[in-house]
Amino acid sequence: MRLTPKSATLLILVALIALAPVFFPSGFYYRVGALVFVNALAVTGIVILTGWAGQISLGHAGFAGIGAYACALAPVHWGIHPALSVLLGAAASAVLAWLVGRPILRLKGYYLAVASLGMGILISMVLNNERALTRGPDGIGVPELGLRAVLKDAGLGLSNGQFWYFLCGIALVVGAWAALNLRDSATGRALRALHGSEVAARTVGMDVARLKLQAFVISAVYASVSGSLLALQNRFITPDVAGFLHSVEMVTMAVLGGVGSVAGGIFGAAVLTLLPQVLTVLAEYEQLVLGAVMVLVMIFLREGIVPSMLRKGRRREE
Amino acid sequence: MSELLQFLLSGVTVGAVYALVALGFTMIYNASDVVNFAQGEFVMLGGMITVFAHAAGAPLPLAALTAVVATAALGVAMNKLAIEPARGAPVVSLVIITIGASIFIRGAAQLIFGKQIHRFPAFSGEDPIRILGATILPQSLWVIGGAVVIFVGLWLFFTRTLLGRAVLATSNNRLAAQLVGINTPFVMTLSFAMSAGIGALAGVLVTPITLTAYDVGLAFALKGFAAAMLGGMGNPKGALAGGLIVGVLEAMTAGYLSSQYKDAAAFIIIFAVLFFRPQGLFGRQSTDRV
């Protein structure tokens, strides 16, 4: 039987998530793994937006901030269950993305980059300044999701680290699966067509502005859910989640691994999440390294690591 | 009334800086169609290098000159190392490259200069001058005067000198400029050097008022960009008008609404421009060639 690239990507992903814990020397690695999955989920959204639709956002952390603070605030103020707060955050992010994206995506070029950057900074400004609601820069506690206790009653006892590792892993697989399905759908093909040439896409009757808007809204939902999962597993969140640096991290991860492929984005997220854990001395150099990676990858490996490698491998086979 | 005048004066002062940053955006955009997000880092470097050269014993004018020249050299290096190798890359790639360069510069500045806030003394004292019940710092006059000199100087350069006209010709049509023998790679290099130098000079002028730190560049870049867009991307007159409007609106927001949200003014302007008049105040409706 020959696997399609889609099922191959998903199978490898599931196998990696399921088998990696065998090699974990301590419980700490579950936590790092969960962090990789959370970042990879947000990056998958960037792949849809930047890799396929060819639009760049520098404010996606703002949506992660909305997702995160929805989980911190909605249960306390409105008594909404944390799990439903994830959906609430995603809906709020989608609406905001739609409102911001609609007028801007009619324009070409770098406008979305700037507008999204401004939007992200406005969101983090509100999170920092509205102390009465968000407790400002010091951060705020997040209620317990409660799912782990339910699983325990059902006879599935997991440590906190294990629980979040597998929950985030499942979220990533679902996210990757949805993204890959989208890529092969009519919408996905249209998105990649407009990336190739907007004029050509318009000539064959595609509603270019609407397609770009769809990609922007979908990717905002990915970022929002990723922010929610981060908040729920840390049980604490600060406005840094919505900060400019976090937005840039997302783009860098996607660009490093390969912004045109879901597998590439996940790979990039894994590398840039693990690197600081492995080399703690890098903390000082984080910005320097991020910046250098962005520039060098764009000049020398324009498609990112994974697609470049795949191409090399394919050439060798021939 | 004196309150309004006070806000207006401080708005014009920061506005002059934003106008210079917007001018930097404009020059690079005209020469290469690249929106250089690292523009704000040039402002940071101007202030920062002056601080350290001054602390190392150089007299202030020499320290300032060092900062401007060093930053201009860095602008040229950025063009040669990061922009030119990616020539012909899609807009997305170029945006990521300039963002990457700006984060790289910020990271390097953090390592070299530390995370503290720095300043150096004002050029001609700190005693405020009283005008009609409002006050203005002598340094503000330096900022405004500096901006006026640069804008007039550049206007003369672009209209009266052969080299300036070559730059204009290149921004109008690169290929045609090449065909009539204009050295377009040199024009690119020159534009990056001038744009970085102007940014650095803005940083030198404003640092005694606003102080500086390794991470101030982003705010300058965003506000300068808002100004450039408001005026119409690629239009020097627009840069001047846009800078002043952004500066004054920001000062009014801080004065009458909320000082915490004064930085929001620039972004609200960006949104308003994008929603209602994407080509900016002085810009022409853009059309593209297939």
Side-chain angles (χ1 to χ4, degrees), chain B residues 81 172 232:
Chain B
L81 297 176
N172 277 336

Side-chain angles (χ1 to χ4, degrees), chain A residues 256-276:
Chain A
L256 173 67
V259 74
S261 91
V262 171
I266 296 173
F267 177 78
V271 170
L272 279 189
T273 314
L274 293 176
L275 212 59

Side-chain angles (χ1 to χ4, degrees), chain B residues 185-199:
Chain B
F186 174 72
V187 168
M188 277 272 281
T189 306
L190 182 72
S191 300
F192 269 85
M194 284 173 64
S195 158
I198 290 170

Side-chain angles (χ1 to χ4, degrees), chain A:
Chain A
M1 190 185 85
R2 213 176 143 72
L3 284 173
T4 59
K6 180 174 101 184
S7 22
T9 305
L10 286 174
L11 266 181
I12 293 172
L13 185 62
V14 171
L16 279 178
I17 294 173
L19 293 179
V22 176
F23 304 100
F24 287 173
S26 75
F28 172 70
Y29 288 80
Y30 282 104
R31 167 145 177 74
V32 178
L35 215 58
V36 169
F37 302 153
V38 164
N39 284 333
L41 187 63
V43 171
T44 305
I46 301 283
V47 166
I48 294 172
L49 178 71
T50 309
W52 301 346
Q55 303 299 308
I56 180 165
S57 163
L58 298 171
H60 255 54
F63 298 122
I66 291 178
Y69 275 82
C71 288
L73 300 176
V76 179
H77 291 277
W78 299 321
I80 296 173
H81 190 275
L84 291 178
S85 307
V86 177
L87 298 180
L88 181 72
S93 295
V95 170
L96 182 67
W98 189 81
L99 287 175
V100 170
R102 217 174 89 91
I104 287 161
L105 287 169
R106 280 180 292 143
L107 310 170
K108 280 187 58 179
Y110 46 80
Y111 290 111
L112 183 70
V114 182
S116 58
L117 176 57
M119 180 209 69
I121 289 181
L122 280 177
I123 292 173
S124 86
M125 211 183 275
V126 170
L127 294 178
N128 272 304
N129 288 334
E130 295 304 316
R131 282 163 195 276
L133 193 62
T134 66
R135 310 234 182 104
D138 297 335
I140 186 169
V142 179
E144 165 72 42
L145 180 59
L147 185 59
R148 192 159 74 95
V150 174
L151 286 179
K152 202 168 189 180
D153 289 340
L156 186 63
L158 291 173
S159 77
N160 193 40
Q162 287 170 331
F163 170 73
W164 283 108
Y165 176 87
F166 287 111
L167 186 67
C168 295
I170 291 168
L172 175 59
V173 172
V174 172
W177 173 75
L180 288 167
N181 272 344
L182 177 72
R183 188 189 60 181
D184 295 337
S185 72
T187 310
R189 282 196 301 274
L191 282 177
R192 284 177 291 151
L194 81 87
H195 190 186
S197 164
E198 232 173 78
V199 177
R202 199 172 283 146
T203 316
V204 295
M206 291 175 183
D207 187 344
V208 168
R210 204 174 128 221
L211 284 164
K212 289 192 284 189
L213 186 59
Q214 281 173 349
F216 188 54
V217 170
I218 293 170
S219 66
V221 170
Y222 273 86
S224 176
V225 172
S226 138
S228 295
L229 288 173
L230 185 70
L232 287 170
Q233 73 167 299
N234 287 348
R235 301 284 318 273
F236 187 77
I237 200 75
T238 67
D240 283 346
V241 70
F244 173 64
L245 202 59
H246 189 205
S247 293
V248 170
E249 270 171 3
M250 287 184 197
V251 176
T252 315
M253 285 170 178
V255 164
L256 173 67
V259 74
S261 91
V262 171
I266 296 173
F267 177 78
V271 170
L272 279 189
T273 314
L274 293 176
L275 212 59
Q277 307 282 348
V278 182
L279 303 166
T280 37
V281 283
L282 271 181
E284 281 276 295
Y285 299 85
E286 190 188 354
Q287 300 211 13
L288 201 69
V289 172
L290 274 183
V293 165
M294 288 170 89
V295 175
L296 293 176
V297 169
M298 274 296 122
I299 295 174
F300 296 111
L301 287 172
R302 215 169 276 175
E303 293 170 74
I305 292 175
V306 171
S308 301
M309 291 289 205
L310 283 178
R311 175 167 301 177
K312 215 170 242 177
R314 230 170 277 146
R315 219 173 279 151
R316 206 163 292 157
E317 268 171 34
E318 276 160 12

Side-chain angles (χ1 to χ4, degrees), chain B residues 74-153:
Chain B
L74 188 86
V76 172
M78 188 183 144
N79 177 36
K80 292 279 177 220
L81 297 176
I83 308 289
E84 264 183 18
R87 190 133 240 342
V91 177
V92 175
S93 310
L94 288 169
V95 168
I96 292 173
I97 286 175
T98 63
I99 296 263
S102 87
I103 293 175
F104 181 81
I105 294 173
R106 199 177 318 152
Q110 183 192 340
L111 286 176
I112 299 168
F113 304 123
K115 286 187 171 183
Q116 305 89 332
I117 292 171
H118 296 283
R119 68 162 300 173
F120 51 84
F123 299 171
S124 33
E126 315 259 347
D127 300 325
I129 302 162
R130 306 203 137 269
I131 311 168
L132 301 173
T135 59
I136 186 167
L137 289 170
Q139 189 67 29
S140 295
L141 297 178
W142 274 99
V143 174
I144 297 166
V148 169
V149 168
I150 289 171
F151 270 95
V152 172

